[in-house]
Amino acid sequence: MKNRPNILLFFTDQQRADTCGCYGSDLGLTPNLDELAAEGVTFKNAVTCQPVCGPARSVIQTGRYATKNGCFRNALELKDDNQTLAHLLNGAGYTTNYIGKWHLSLTGLEPVPMEERCGYTGEWKAADLLEFTSDAYEGYIYDRDNQKLPFSGQYRSDFLTEHGVRFIEEYEKEEPFFLMVSYLEPHHQNTKNRYVAPEGYADRYRDARVPEDLLQLDKPDADWRANLADYYGCIRKLDENLGEFADALKKKGIYEDTVILFTSDHGSHFRTRNGEYKRSCHEASIKIPMICRGGSYLGGRVIEQSLSLVDLAPTILEIAGAEPAKQMDGRPAGCLLRDGAKDWDNDVLIQISESQVGRALRTLKWKYCVTAPHKNPWLDSGSDIYVEECLYNLEEDPYELNNLVDREKYREVKEELKEKLLGKLELAGEGSPRIISL
């Protein structure tokens, strides 16, 4: 391994952790990812801190909570006053390259100009709103010079993978590269309002096992019966795409010189918790896969401590031998590999927008969520008053079927979690709001 390894961030959209074999799935959807996990490190309790597309991406690029970096909801531009992952990697001698869905500009169907790419100066083949510039088998992205790159008859994730693999095959620079490949799959296709697997893939999973939370929370609005097979088919195809990247790195002779990171922005509860697929505090929405293979991330280890999406940027910078920006809220994960970091804080703050102005604290045992029903979830980034909404014991109730928030016997637990949540909110720059107990 070179002192400064190449870094590949393979990023999916709306993927539940429990779809992966390395997280306990028996469906066989992710053999290539499972092989990476067997060689590398799996973060068992990886959690998004913002379960919606744009804000989650802003957190990855800045290492800051979405309310701090200015993108607390979709349709907000990530301003250039943020010091980003790409800026810092450029300073550390990396080339910074991006392929796929961006979702951090306001250009919509138009190309993202260089000045709005948040420091990515190398390869660029992307669209701001890939879900609207493309369908599953047709559409376009833009190249570095803002020229359209159309595709037709090819599945979208294969199209992006083809460009990513070609980048690796043709890379001849002395500097190490950082490449982020940001897929839309397994996200539902917005123009059809349903999930769309590659042709023939959904048929493989018509009778596949259904996650217990979906079975237990089945209701008229829930659409997993119509979509789960396609969702699984999307994930199987993405895993094949991941395998293509691993093969390309091996053929290039740089597999051992490259750290591969795999993660997602959030999960999907298939309209069982609210009127759409995410934007809730529940595990199906916030628990994400996070696997790292290469460098010091070897050995087939499973890390039990919590890791937030806000920790990803500092972790990537640590892998690159670069210092995180002082303004970053996240923490590099390397210490978890060296000594287990016994003093590691396992309490994760979750900020929820668009469906509600909500905040949640996830510990290894508890989930505590509050909401501000008097606030506008599209216009208001936070609140000075919240009301308790949910309390779950994750050890005894992993599918979050039994809300304990109004049970008198858990009053002391709630008070302890309330104080912890308030402390997190203060660190996240949200002041000292008041939480009304039930």
Side-chain angles (χ1 to χ4, degrees):
M1 173 68 72
K2 299 184 298 186
N3 290 331
R4 294 186 303 159
N6 304 307
I7 303 171
L8 168 64
L9 176 55
F10 190 103
F11 189 67
T12 68
D13 193 322
Q14 206 158 284
Q15 183 171 355
R16 293 168 61 115
D18 63 5
T19 59
C20 306
C22 49
Y23 283 85
S25 173
D26 60 359
L27 299 178
L29 300 176
T30 58
N32 290 296
L33 179 62
D34 299 341
E35 183 177 338
L36 290 182
E39 297 174 353
V41 173
T42 301
F43 290 94
K44 182 179 178 180
N45 286 288
V47 177
T48 186
C49 53
Q50 233 295 359
V52 66
C53 298
R57 282 162 176 74
S58 75
V59 170
I60 290 173
Q61 299 303 333
T62 65
R64 306 176 75 196
Y65 288 109
T67 49
K68 276 190 177 181
N69 67 43
C71 293
F72 73 92
R73 59 160 168 82
N74 284 329
L76 289 172
E77 180 184 13
L78 184 60
K79 300 293 186 182
D80 58 10
D81 58 353
N82 283 285
Q83 193 170 22
T84 67
L85 179 61
H87 290 137
L88 294 166
L89 287 171
N90 289 333
Y94 277 71
T95 68
T96 48
N97 311 277
Y98 197 97
I99 294 173
K101 174 179 174 176
W102 181 236
H103 213 156
L104 291 173
S105 180
L106 295 179
T107 57
L109 305 183
E110 299 301 314
V112 179
M114 177 70 78
E115 61 270 19
E116 295 182 23
R117 297 176 190 171
C118 297
Y120 286 91
T121 57
E123 180 84 322
W124 178 271
K125 291 179 177 176
D128 184 39
L129 295 181
L130 184 60
E131 54 266 62
F132 294 110
T133 69
S134 64
D135 208 328
Y137 278 94
E138 185 176 22
Y140 58 89
I141 56 177
Y142 293 95
D143 67 12
R144 191 174 186 275
D145 299 320
N146 295 326
Q147 299 301 305
K148 271 188 182 180
L149 295 174
F151 69 99
S152 180
Q154 184 180 23
Y155 192 64
R156 181 172 42 215
S157 73
D158 288 336
F159 172 69
L160 297 181
T161 299
E162 181 180 279
H163 284 286
V165 166
R166 186 180 304 148
F167 167 83
I168 291 170
E169 292 172 341
E170 297 177 353
Y171 195 80
E172 298 294 343
K173 295 182 179 180
E174 293 184 2
E175 302 93 335
F177 66 76
F178 172 76
L179 172 63
M180 181 170 179
V181 186
S182 175
Y183 293 94
L184 182 62
E185 286 74 28
H187 192 286
H188 59 285
Q189 179 60 48
N190 293 58
T191 55
K192 292 182 169 64
N193 199 30
R194 67 178 180 88
Y195 292 86
V196 183
E199 291 178 5
Y201 276 63
D203 293 337
R204 306 178 188 180
Y205 306 107
R206 297 294 180 198
D207 299 318
R209 182 182 54 79
V210 179
E212 191 66 24
D213 62 297
L214 303 184
L215 284 173
Q216 295 295 330
L217 294 166
D218 200 13
K219 58 183 184 180
D221 291 340
D223 64 1
W224 59 264
R225 293 184 187 277
N227 281 296
L228 195 57
D230 277 272
Y231 184 72
Y232 286 160
C234 292
I235 290 167
R236 184 68 185 92
K237 168 53 75 174
L238 285 167
D239 189 74
E240 293 173 2
N241 297 144
L242 178 63
E244 292 179 60
F245 273 102
D247 289 343
L249 292 167
K250 290 173 182 176
K251 289 177 182 177
K252 187 75 171 179
I254 57 174
Y255 183 70
E256 296 300 336
D257 294 326
T258 303
V259 173
I260 302 174
L261 272 157
F262 179 102
T263 194
S264 193
D265 54 353
H266 51 76
S268 177
H269 52 65
F270 293 90
R271 305 186 193 276
T272 58
R273 299 292 185 173
N274 55 33
E276 41 85 71
Y277 296 109
K278 55 226 178 191
R279 300 179 179 92
S280 85
C281 71
H282 302 90
E283 294 290 275
S285 179
I286 62 131
K287 192 170 182 182
I288 55 175
M290 192 173 291
I291 293 91
C292 187
R293 191 270 177 209
S296 58
Y297 290 81
L298 293 171
R301 287 175 284 179
V302 176
I303 303 297
E304 298 286 338
Q305 286 95 334
S306 299
L307 200 72
S308 171
L309 204 60
V310 79
D311 299 321
L312 185 58
T315 299
I316 290 171
L317 291 167
E318 182 182 50
I319 291 170
E323 290 291 327
K326 292 181 180 179
Q327 66 190 30
M328 287 186 171
D329 298 309
R331 308 159 294 174
C335 61
L336 296 176
L337 307 178
R338 294 188 294 272
D339 55 17
K342 294 179 180 179
D343 59 347
W344 184 265
D345 183 0
N346 288 299
D347 301 342
V348 176
L349 171 65
I350 301 154
Q351 299 176 318
I352 305 165
S353 62
E354 299 191 18
S355 64
Q356 61 178 167
V357 178
R359 299 293 183 266
L361 184 79
R362 184 191 188 272
T363 75
L364 293 178
K365 181 176 181 178
W366 298 100
K367 175 81 60 64
Y368 175 69
C369 184
V370 300
T371 188
H374 60 294
K375 290 291 186 177
N376 185 313
W378 184 256
L379 299 177
D380 297 319
S381 62
S383 179
D384 55 351
I385 300 175
Y386 291 95
V387 179
E388 291 179 334
E389 182 181 43
C390 302
L391 175 68
Y392 297 106
N393 184 328
L394 299 178
E395 290 182 355
E396 297 179 0
D397 179 25
Y399 304 113
E400 298 166 304
L401 303 175
N402 188 19
N403 187 358
L404 308 172
V405 74
D406 59 355
R407 305 284 182 86
E408 179 63 30
K409 66 178 291 188
Y410 295 102
R411 183 165 297 278
E412 289 187 11
V413 171
K414 290 195 303 178
E415 286 301 314
E416 180 181 349
L417 295 171
K418 179 196 294 187
E419 291 306 309
K420 287 184 175 183
L421 176 57
L422 289 170
K424 290 287 185 183
L425 292 175
E426 186 171 355
L427 289 174
E430 296 200 46
S432 301
R434 183 163 62 96
I435 297 176
I436 299 173
S437 299
L438 296 182

